[in-house]
Amino acid sequence: MADKTQEAGGVHFPFPFTPYAIQKDFMAALYQVLEAGKIGIFESPTGTGKSLSLICGALSWLRDFEQKKRQEEERLLEAGAPASNNGLAPAPGLPSSCQGSPGTPEATGEPDWITQFVQKKEERDLVDRLKEEQVRRKKREERLQQIRHNVKLRFTAKRMRQEDEETERLLRLSSEMLAAGTEPEQVASGEEELVLAEYESDEEKGVPSGVDVDEDDLDEEHVTKIYYCSRTHSQLAQFVHEVQKSPFGQDTRLVSLGSRQNLCVNGDVRKLGSVQLINDRCVEMQRSKHERKSITEEEEPTRRRRRQEPRASCPFYSHERLQLLRDEVLAGVKDVEQLVALGKEARACPYYGGRFAIPAAQLVVLPYQMLLHAPTRQAAGIRLQGQVVVIDEAHNLIDTITSIHSVEVRGAQLCQAHNQLLQYTERYGKRLKAKNLMYIKQLLYLLEKFVAVLGGNIKQNPNTQSFSQAGTELKTINDFLFQSEIDNINLFKVRRYCEKSKISRKLLGFTERYGAVLVPSMEQPKLSGFQDFLQSLQPGAVAAPAAPAEVGEDRSPRPASPLMHVEGFLEALTAANQDGRVILSRQGSLSQSSLKFLLLNPAVHFTQVVKECRAVVIAGGTMQPVSDFREQLLASAGVEAECVVEFSCGHVIPPDHILPLVICSGPSNQMLDFTYQKRGLPQMMDETGRILCNLCNVVPGGVVCFFPSYEYQHQVYAHWEKSGLLARLTIRKKIFQEPKKANRVEQVLLEYSRCIKHCGQARGMETGALLLSVVGGKMSEGINFSDDLGRCVVMVGMPYPNITSPELQERMAYLDQTLPRAPGQACPGKVLVENLCMKAVNQSIGRAIRHQKDFASIVLLDQRYASPAIQAKLPAWIRNRVAVKATFGPAFAALRKFHREKAGLS
């Protein structure tokens, strides 16, 4: 269909078709939030075109913003002096003089001639920068225009690929010739890369260390852009496809970011399997490349005398090819799969090609774990200053931030890290400088104390160290440091040492080369106990020193170094005392026990995002209840209430296409009370079965029934088998159960779909299928039960979280202490529990209605749903239509009438 320009709120929004009224309202509200630089919480039910509304609303604002910015630049260049911005927010990279002078000459106290001189210099600098920006922008646009017309690119990429293949062939021949004329022992060492370099702290060196070098030819000023985040790569790919179909698909500079695991095109690296191993290997290869570049001619003879085995650099990391890939990425909208295919064709790394394209991009698409974790964000080259962030599918944003920054390390990992570090020191201790040895001793001490605080002994096998009493103990960070007797160690310096020295990667290379144990023969008696111990931690290890692995040998990937997990725990311990807790969990043996850092204040990590960005949009299909976002995330991050804008729209379906019912009692007048104490009663499970039998008699197609947990689902299913209710259910519906294993979900859904389709065609006694699912399971999020796949969604009970969980109890106590309690309202901790429950309910019942012509009934089985306070937490488009039925008869009559009337629509 032809693109149509729609006007809403005085703004013209290009749209691929005539939008719904709620889409116009959505785009207008979004535009105003971005223009005013506020925080927006947007709720638009699935099926209402939320993605297109986000795309067209946000990119329309960016279009107008760039146009205003260019007009302002032209005016400044013509005038030769800065002036007021007329409400236009300053673009990143422009000096503060664009926003007006911060003070008057009188306020500064300087003589007039000094003030005038400084002002004129600022004006000249501004004009020079604007001219440079214009030249840079013109070059970029010409380059992208050339690529869009496919001029020279394919030929250049093909020529460079042929040159690389020829170079690799010549290098391979040279290596073979060199190997034929050299003694084996002269080239087989390869241990130099395992030895730690001399370490100096940043304070001693005065400059930060690192392997990254400035790429002048790839550097470019960051333009104002929109960072769009979602939960999974499939959701991001779906969003990119919507951009491609939108009116902005032809001329938007979009970059899709992902992990190395998703983007790497180097087969030797990809086969490592583990995310951590892939990351480490990639970094090592880039460092090898940079180190070889830095070798001078004077150093080369000395390096040759060492006869060190060279480390391979990645053949896909070439500046010339990365420039070509960067430009190709910016020339047209591509998702991750298309980016990988392009990288393979151009023999250029999609991971780094995407990173180099970020500065010039207008829309950056990435998983929100990458944006919410500051070190990952910095490593990817993401700068948030003055930019716009849109977080989609944000209903579990708080839990995601908490999960990303909560770290758990097991007793087995602590012992394994200690043993590996001890073995490493035994072999290379005499070659290490004093500062390295000092920090290694501190690490060994920390590991020993962590094991001791769990009640174990670092010198004994953790599998054989059992605890008579299992349980958990919760500590503040300071109390944990004092109890562990490590309060005298500067964890900030230890963490920085681990980061700069890459010691965990050295250990990983050490264990990769020598297997589990490497003990000098003269030290054998002293360390013999460690051999048996480490062998139990790494099955398949042998006591004798292992020979170095052959180059190119195909081995199964080993797990990442356990010290890497410990480093994450050490970083967590540097958090403020009030923002987290440490949980000591003793479970049977030392190897099964663990230390876990629990983040209590997610706002501490969201604050930086809010402060740096121009505007933040938190969007989702089901955002109710929003009080969590306002209080736990935004208010705690210092956002004023007037800066937060809420937008919630109804559904596009007609009012009579949905029937939400609360049923308080079953066919035999059994009150429906699915509290934890009563839901396991036989009469409660029988009543649930009778209700489903009645529903299956009147509901065509598919019925999806959600239970609070896997355990309760299996308990009910087993009870139905014994009572005969299961046989009654199978007369009308074939029964499927949600699998616990994720790799079986797709197969179950396929069989479920086939059964419904077959029954719809056969018109026999069996009218469809019944799918027994779990709230929070594989099918409660991201699965579409549209049309006949979900004509009725049943919620059995209320899925309250485990109130006895130490983590939940501590979160409740933290909120009770930190959040104010409004008069007449429940305490914040209790509100948290209710909100967690209702967010899960809302996600599950939202699986059914997926488009404008869809229809379904929603049945809530529990008398507690009749509470106005609980109903207030339902999405507005459901809450406004819900009907409470005290008895089953009227509820069944309403269901039968609804599905009979809608039978002609399916």
Side-chain angles (χ1 to χ4, degrees):
M1 285 178 284
D3 294 346
K4 298 184 179 181
T5 300
Q6 299 294 324
E7 184 168 335
V11 180
H12 294 282
F13 296 99
F15 216 77
F17 48 80
T18 303
Y20 303 128
I22 60 175
Q23 288 180 305
K24 290 183 181 181
D25 296 341
F26 186 107
M27 291 187 291
L30 176 63
Y31 192 102
Q32 292 303 317
V33 166
L34 301 186
E35 184 69 13
K38 294 187 175 183
I39 310 295
I41 303 175
F42 282 74
E43 181 182 56
S44 180
T46 304
T48 57
K50 171 170 58 72
S51 295
L52 261 180
S53 300
L54 281 170
I55 292 166
C56 296
L59 291 179
S60 293
W61 171 83
L62 186 61
R63 171 204 62 196
D64 294 346
F65 177 84
E66 290 180 340
Q67 184 178 358
K68 292 177 185 176
K69 179 185 172 185
R70 290 192 183 189
Q71 291 173 350
E72 181 74 4
E73 287 177 357
E74 290 173 0
R75 190 184 64 78
L76 290 173
L77 287 173
E78 290 176 1
S84 65
N85 256 355
N86 295 326
L88 178 63
L94 294 180
S96 58
S97 55
C98 291
Q99 309 166 47
S101 177
T104 62
E106 293 77 16
T108 61
E110 298 287 347
D112 291 344
W113 68 271
I114 294 180
T115 303
Q116 291 174 3
F117 175 80
V118 172
Q119 185 176 355
K120 287 182 179 180
K121 185 177 184 305
E122 288 180 351
E123 292 171 2
R124 287 194 301 270
D125 292 343
L126 172 62
V127 171
D128 291 341
R129 293 194 62 178
L130 291 177
K131 288 180 179 178
E132 291 176 4
E133 176 62 25
Q134 278 191 338
V135 172
R136 187 181 294 112
R137 183 167 60 237
K138 186 177 180 181
K139 286 182 178 179
R140 179 178 66 232
E141 291 173 352
E142 290 175 351
R143 191 172 65 239
L144 297 181
Q145 192 68 20
Q146 185 184 55
I147 289 173
R148 288 189 179 109
H149 289 83
N150 213 26
V151 178
K152 294 183 180 179
L153 177 70
R154 303 295 179 188
F155 172 77
T156 304
K158 182 179 180 181
R159 175 179 55 78
M160 295 178 68
R161 187 163 62 247
Q162 291 172 343
E163 290 176 356
D164 289 341
E165 291 171 353
E166 178 65 14
T167 302
E168 290 177 9
R169 187 182 69 82
L170 292 174
L171 286 173
R172 191 164 54 250
L173 289 174
S174 300
S175 300
E176 293 172 357
M177 292 173 64
L178 182 64
T182 311
E183 293 296 325
E185 53 269 22
Q186 289 182 297
V187 295
S189 172
E191 290 193 57
E192 292 294 332
E193 65 183 35
L194 301 179
V195 181
L196 289 162
E198 184 171 359
Y199 175 74
E200 292 179 309
S201 65
D202 291 344
E203 294 90 342
E204 294 165 336
K205 289 192 295 184
V207 293
S209 63
V211 301
D212 294 335
V213 295
D214 292 332
E215 316 292 359
D216 294 333
D217 52 348
L218 295 174
D219 191 27
E220 188 170 6
E221 287 290 337
H222 281 242
V223 302
T224 302
K225 59 177 58 63
I226 298 167
Y227 287 98
Y228 173 86
C229 317
S230 194
R231 190 170 57 93
T232 65
H233 284 285
S234 61
Q235 289 169 339
L236 293 173
Q238 185 178 354
F239 178 82
V240 172
H241 295 157
E242 291 289 332
V243 176
Q244 291 171 335
K245 294 184 292 184
S246 77
F248 297 90
Q250 297 299 319
D251 52 5
T252 298
R253 301 190 301 274
L254 181 146
V255 177
S256 295
L257 299 183
S259 64
R260 286 183 175 90
Q261 190 177 33
N262 290 100
L263 291 173
C264 179
V265 292
N266 187 326
D268 292 335
V269 178
R270 284 185 63 89
K271 70 181 181 182
L272 294 174
S274 164
V275 177
Q276 190 65 57
L277 291 179
I278 290 175
N279 290 343
D280 293 339
R281 181 59 178 151
C282 178
V283 172
E284 285 291 328
M285 295 175 89
Q286 304 323 312
R287 185 164 62 205
S288 172
K289 184 182 184 73
H290 294 311
E291 286 175 353
R292 283 210 302 275
K293 281 185 177 181
S294 65
I295 296 173
T296 63
E297 292 182 0
E298 291 77 17
E299 291 172 322
E300 189 64 28
T302 306
R303 191 174 180 90
R304 284 200 191 100
R305 283 197 298 271
R306 290 184 190 168
R307 310 303 292 173
Q308 178 182 345
E309 181 181 350
R311 289 178 288 176
S313 61
C314 184
F316 295 90
Y317 190 92
S318 161
H319 290 176
E320 288 183 277
R321 291 197 301 276
L322 285 174
Q323 288 182 68
L324 289 171
L325 182 61
R326 173 201 63 184
D327 294 342
E328 182 73 19
V329 167
L330 294 172
V333 176
K334 299 172 183 66
D335 63 16
V336 168
E337 291 183 0
Q338 293 168 325
L339 181 58
V340 169
L342 190 64
K344 290 179 179 177
E345 181 182 354
R347 285 184 65 81
C349 176
Y351 177 78
Y352 284 101
R355 285 177 53 174
F356 291 145
I358 292 176
Q362 296 170 306
L363 181 58
V364 179
V365 179
L366 69 163
Y368 56 45
Q369 292 86 343
M370 184 179 291
L371 182 127
L372 296 173
H373 189 244
T376 306
R377 187 167 68 236
Q378 294 163 5
I382 295 171
R383 304 178 191 175
L384 297 181
Q385 191 67 44
Q387 312 292 14
V388 171
V389 166
V390 177
I391 303 176
D392 201 0
E393 301 297 333
H395 55 273
N396 59 352
L397 177 60
I398 295 175
D399 291 337
T400 299
I401 298 174
T402 302
S403 176
I404 290 174
H405 297 92
S406 296
V407 186
E408 184 173 22
V409 57
R410 292 181 292 105
Q413 291 171 325
L414 294 171
C415 294
Q416 192 176 1
H418 185 277
N419 186 69
Q420 289 180 359
L421 199 55
L422 193 62
Q423 297 282 349
Y424 180 87
T425 310
E426 288 291 333
R427 181 166 181 85
Y428 300 118
K430 295 180 181 179
R431 303 177 63 178
L432 298 177
K433 300 292 183 179
K435 183 117 350 190
N436 271 314
L437 287 174
M438 180 193 74
Y439 279 110
I440 288 176
K441 287 182 179 179
Q442 286 189 351
L443 283 170
L444 289 170
Y445 177 80
L446 287 170
L447 292 167
E448 181 180 346
K449 291 301 180 181
F450 288 158
V451 171
V453 80
L454 282 173
N457 189 328
I458 197 71
K459 297 182 180 180
Q460 298 177 11
N461 189 324
N463 292 327
T464 60
Q465 298 185 57
S466 58
F467 300 125
S468 56
Q469 291 185 344
T472 58
E473 190 177 354
L474 207 136
K475 300 281 184 182
T476 65
I477 297 176
N478 289 343
D479 287 346
F480 175 77
L481 297 178
F482 283 118
Q483 183 177 337
S484 304
E485 299 177 358
I486 60 172
D487 53 295
N488 59 328
I489 292 182
N490 189 328
L491 295 181
F492 291 94
K493 285 189 173 183
V494 174
R495 188 193 70 178
R496 187 161 54 246
Y497 168 76
C498 293
E499 178 186 353
K500 299 296 183 182
S501 68
K502 307 292 190 295
I503 185 170
S504 59
R505 294 185 181 125
K506 301 289 184 182
L507 276 187
L508 181 62
F510 176 71
T511 53
E512 280 285 302
R513 185 176 180 86
Y514 295 106
V517 178
L518 182 129
V519 185
S521 57
M522 58 185 299
E523 306 261 16
Q524 188 83 8
K526 179 180 177 182
L527 298 174
S528 59
F530 285 107
Q531 295 176 10
D532 295 334
F533 150 54
L534 188 56
Q535 190 170 354
S536 68
L537 294 179
Q538 296 190 3
V542 291
E550 295 294 330
V551 177
E553 182 182 355
D554 186 18
R555 297 173 296 170
S556 59
R558 293 179 180 272
S561 168
L563 189 60
M564 294 176 186
H565 296 278
V566 178
E567 287 178 13
F569 184 67
L570 291 176
E571 181 180 0
L573 290 180
T574 60
N577 184 59
Q578 69 273 15
D579 290 338
R581 298 290 183 269
V582 179
I583 300 174
L584 287 71
S585 177
R586 299 180 180 89
Q587 303 295 331
S589 66
L590 174 61
S591 62
Q592 296 172 335
S593 302
S594 65
L595 298 174
K596 180 178 181 179
F597 173 81
L598 173 66
L599 178 69
L600 294 177
N601 183 16
V604 73
H605 295 285
F606 198 64
T607 301
Q608 187 178 5
V609 175
V610 171
K611 286 184 176 180
E612 291 186 2
C613 291
R614 172 195 175 92
V616 177
V617 175
I618 304 172
T622 305
M623 298 296 291
Q624 294 294 334
V626 298
S627 59
D628 287 354
F629 298 102
R630 278 187 167 275
E631 297 168 5
Q632 296 183 43
L633 210 55
L634 300 178
S636 299
V639 179
E640 299 293 336
E642 57 268 20
C643 294
V644 181
V645 176
E646 288 185 32
F647 176 87
S648 179
C649 62
H651 214 297
V652 293
I653 60 171
D656 61 347
H657 275 218
I658 181 176
L659 178 64
L661 294 176
V662 174
I663 302 180
C664 299
S665 62
S668 62
N669 294 323
Q670 172 68 48
M671 190 62 67
L672 298 179
D673 182 0
F674 289 94
T675 55
Y676 187 77
Q677 295 79 9
K678 296 184 178 180
R679 69 185 187 186
L681 297 175
Q683 58 266 33
M684 196 62 60
M685 293 186 284
D686 287 337
E687 199 74 340
T688 305
R690 285 190 284 267
I691 292 173
L692 284 176
C693 283
N694 282 278
L695 291 180
C696 290
N697 284 331
V698 297
V699 177
V703 177
V704 184
C705 181
F706 285 100
F707 290 86
S709 67
Y710 283 103
E711 292 73 21
Y712 186 58
Q713 177 201 330
H714 295 320
Q715 180 184 2
V716 172
Y717 189 88
H719 179 79
W720 288 348
E721 278 187 314
K722 293 180 180 178
S723 65
L725 274 167
L726 194 64
R728 288 173 56 189
L729 280 169
T730 54
I731 295 174
R732 287 289 187 178
K733 306 286 185 185
K734 184 175 180 180
I735 299 179
F736 295 86
Q737 294 189 75
E738 176 180 326
K740 273 194 172 183
K741 293 183 179 179
N743 58 1
R744 291 199 60 242
V745 170
E746 189 174 345
Q747 181 63 30
V748 171
L749 285 174
L750 183 62
E751 294 175 2
Y752 173 75
S753 177
R754 285 175 178 171
C755 176
I756 292 172
K757 185 177 180 180
H758 172 75
C759 293
Q761 295 171 346
R763 303 288 183 181
M765 282 289 292
E766 194 174 71
T767 60
L770 170 63
L771 178 60
L772 306 181
S773 302
V774 176
V775 176
K778 314 294 186 303
M779 297 180 183
S780 63
E781 282 192 52
I783 304 295
N784 292 343
F785 294 107
S786 59
D787 299 321
D788 281 345
L789 295 183
R791 288 304 180 198
C792 181
V793 174
V794 182
M795 180 66 60
V796 178
M798 298 186 68
Y800 278 104
N802 181 9
I803 196 68
T804 62
S805 164
E807 290 94 336
L808 182 57
Q809 287 186 342
E810 194 62 25
R811 286 181 65 184
M812 293 171 62
Y814 173 80
L815 293 179
D816 288 341
Q817 294 170 4
T818 57
L819 294 184
R821 179 178 177 179
Q825 292 186 354
C827 58
K830 184 179 179 182
V831 173
L832 168 69
V833 175
E834 287 186 353
N835 288 353
L836 289 173
C837 169
M838 293 309 297
K839 281 182 183 293
V841 170
N842 293 339
Q843 280 300 307
S844 299
I845 62 180
R847 298 302 93 207
I849 304 291
R850 313 304 289 181
H851 58 83
Q852 186 181 22
K853 296 182 179 179
D854 204 356
F855 66 89
S857 54
I858 297 172
V859 179
L860 305 176
L861 299 182
D862 199 309
Q863 60 176 352
R864 290 175 291 178
Y865 284 113
S867 165
I870 294 298
Q871 290 184 30
K873 298 178 186 294
L874 290 169
W877 61 280
I878 296 178
R879 179 175 66 243
N880 296 336
R881 305 171 190 175
V882 69
V884 177
K885 302 296 182 181
T887 57
F888 184 73
F892 180 72
L895 283 165
R896 181 170 52 191
K897 179 182 177 183
F898 174 82
H899 286 286
R900 280 182 176 175
E901 290 178 351
K902 298 297 175 289
L905 300 178
S906 57

